[in-house]
Amino acid sequence: MMNHLNNGLLKPDKVGKMAIFRIGAVTKELGYGSHTSIYENIRMGLFTKSVKISSRSVGWPDYEVRAINSARIAGASEEQIRELVNKLHLKRTELFQAIEAGLYE
């Protein structure tokens, strides 16, 4: 299950195809009724940390939201989701390094 998620959802074809979801879009995508649920999941290691968009706003990469949602739908345990969250955080660093190296146009 996790290999499918890693191979399919964590490797965007091009940087330009990614989007950043704001908190309202994240709660809607995940089916949560409040923003508090997102931040509680972050504290528990069950959701990725936000990325800063500007001095007063944050968001989440769309592919991260979808990967975590797909894992939940597939029946992943909390431990598996924590592992996925850690991999998603590492992916951010790898993606930035690939951009710096000129691997993305």
Side-chain angles (χ1 to χ4, degrees):
M1 173 176 50
M2 299 307 281
N3 286 338
H4 170 71
L5 292 175
N6 291 339
N7 291 333
L9 295 175
L10 303 183
K11 295 181 181 177
D13 293 333
K14 292 190 181 243
V15 172
K17 290 188 176 185
M18 286 190 274
I20 295 177
F21 286 172
R22 299 284 303 272
I23 188 76
V26 173
T27 55
K28 191 174 203 176
E29 184 82 17
L30 298 175
Y32 290 140
S34 72
H35 301 171
T36 305
S37 300
I38 302 285
Y39 292 109
E40 182 62 26
N41 277 309
I42 293 169
R43 279 189 288 281
M44 295 182 342
L46 298 172
F47 203 73
T48 54
K49 296 177 183 175
S50 59
V51 295
K52 195 168 191 151
I53 299 172
S54 70
S55 62
R56 295 179 56 167
S57 62
V58 297
W60 288 263
D62 62 335
Y63 66 91
E64 291 181 3
V65 175
R66 289 187 177 114
I68 293 167
N69 209 22
S70 294
R72 286 193 172 117
I73 290 167
S77 68
E78 286 189 355
E79 188 56 39
Q80 289 172 313
I81 293 173
R82 280 188 189 93
E83 183 181 325
L84 175 60
V85 167
N86 288 332
K87 288 179 181 180
L88 288 166
H89 283 137
L90 287 173
K91 248 335 176 192
R92 290 180 184 181
T93 303
E94 292 172 4
L95 181 58
F96 181 68
Q97 290 170 346
I99 291 168
E100 281 191 319
L103 298 178
Y104 287 102
E105 297 174 357

